[in-house]
Amino acid sequence: MTSRIPVGLSTASVYPQPAGAAFEIASELGYDGVELMVWADPVSQDIRAVDRLSSRWGMPVLAVHAPCLLISQRVWSPDPSERLRRAVEAAGDLGASTVVLHPPFRWQRKYADGFAELVASLEESSGIAIAVENMFPVKRPLGRGRSVEMNAFKPSVDPTDVGHANYTLDLSHSAAAHMDALELAKRMGDGLRHIHLADGSGAPKDEHMVPGRGTQPCAELCEMLARGGFDGQVVLEVNTRRAGSAAARREMLAESLLFARLHLDWAVEGGAGKARPGVTR
């Protein structure tokens, strides 16, 4: 059964396998589509190749994640504004409705100063939602077992501090930042366009656990979205690097899909008063 809310798979979820593996796995497991993470993987940077993968496996590209990680600072261009423009163009070429974007790093001063205006302008000219993502502080070691927490993003890890038309809510990031994900979703309001569904333990790092294995309100958020008429996308962005085998990776991603579908569909089908569904590993 397909949920009313599309459930996609991020190509980052199959790392270290390339983007092509994500399309294949998403098709075999029954996902509704794929989110393309544009990064060091050469295939992810080749939009024609991605389009061929989409056609081959019958998996639409639901969203494009712009290359804004530290490891992708020179993908397409060293200029972050140009990388964003290229991501918006790629989304248009692939038929994706959303571009996922991190806030600027603090050292990207020129980009940061015009960030909100650039995002709004590109949304208006393209018709594509640019959903700015919540992030988390990082710890800088000071030596002798000491560290200091610092914000690497301007003005903060919370995009609602600026105010954008569209947002991405990442539950692994909210775990690492010790933010209340449900309250953050409420602050994002009607601008909440995209979900990175994953879990975290509250450790000060980006864990991207299978939903249901950590401390985040993954089930509650899915149910809140379904009952609230959410018209965006839920994408599983799960870390499977330590899966150990291709079969184990598929099991993790199948469990993640089952979790999302159970809670989205349970809420839509009148879950009030009924026991919340569980996922058995």
Side-chain angles (χ1 to χ4, degrees):
M1 180 174 64
T2 300
S3 169
R4 179 172 58 87
I5 297 173
V7 180
L9 178 66
S10 169
T11 58
S13 296
V14 304
Y15 181 82
Q17 290 184 278
F23 282 89
E24 179 180 357
I25 293 170
S27 177
E28 291 177 352
L29 294 180
Y31 279 83
D32 295 317
V34 165
E35 176 184 316
L36 173 68
M37 168 69 84
V38 181
W39 57 358
D41 174 9
V43 173
S44 74
Q45 303 171 31
D46 186 340
I47 301 309
R48 290 185 179 179
V50 172
D51 192 38
R52 290 194 293 269
L53 286 168
S54 177
S55 297
R56 176 182 177 185
W57 294 106
M59 283 285 101
V61 177
L62 302 176
V64 173
H65 195 310
C68 41
L69 301 175
L70 284 173
I71 62 171
S72 56
Q73 291 297 292
R74 301 192 72 82
V75 169
W76 283 345
S77 169
D79 180 354
S81 298
E82 180 59 23
R83 291 199 299 272
L84 174 55
R85 292 187 181 95
R86 290 280 299 272
V88 172
E89 290 174 5
D93 291 342
L94 293 167
S97 61
T98 306
V99 166
V100 178
L101 182 66
H102 294 179
F105 288 113
R106 298 190 71 85
W107 55 85
Q108 296 173 319
R109 295 180 181 178
K110 182 178 178 181
Y111 175 56
D113 287 344
F115 181 74
E117 292 77 11
L118 174 63
V119 167
S121 174
L122 288 172
E123 285 186 317
E124 183 177 0
S125 61
S126 68
I128 291 169
I130 301 176
V132 185
E133 187 171 0
N134 62 298
M135 300 304 293
F136 56 96
V138 296
K139 287 196 172 183
R140 183 164 63 91
L142 297 176
R144 297 183 179 181
R146 296 178 302 137
S147 63
V148 61
E149 188 173 272
M150 60 178 290
N151 170 30
F153 300 94
K154 188 175 181 181
S156 77
V157 298
D158 183 350
T160 67
D161 286 345
V162 174
H164 297 283
N166 295 286
Y167 299 101
T168 295
L169 173 55
D170 186 306
L171 284 94
S172 178
H173 295 176
S174 63
H178 295 160
M179 298 175 71
D180 186 323
L182 297 180
E183 287 302 315
L184 179 56
K186 291 174 184 176
R187 288 201 302 277
M188 291 176 171
D190 292 339
L192 180 55
R193 177 69 187 166
H194 197 76
I195 305 294
H196 278 164
L197 187 60
D199 218 327
S201 68
K205 58 182 180 179
D206 196 11
E207 297 174 290
H208 284 281
M209 298 164 65
V210 170
R213 296 190 185 182
T215 62
Q216 291 301 284
C218 297
E220 293 87 345
L221 178 66
C222 286
E223 293 157 17
M224 184 176 80
L225 295 173
R227 291 191 182 120
F230 177 69
D231 62 356
Q233 306 138 349
V234 171
V235 168
L236 276 300
E237 192 178 61
V238 177
N239 185 343
T240 65
R241 280 175 285 183
R242 297 182 180 179
S245 68
R249 175 171 289 113
R250 277 176 164 78
E251 287 179 7
M252 292 175 70
L253 298 178
E255 178 184 332
S256 299
L257 175 61
L258 176 60
F259 183 100
R261 288 260 171 80
L262 277 175
H263 291 284
L264 291 169
D265 292 333
W266 175 78
V268 169
E269 293 166 6
K274 302 178 184 178
R276 178 176 284 128
V279 178
T280 302
R281 296 200 298 273

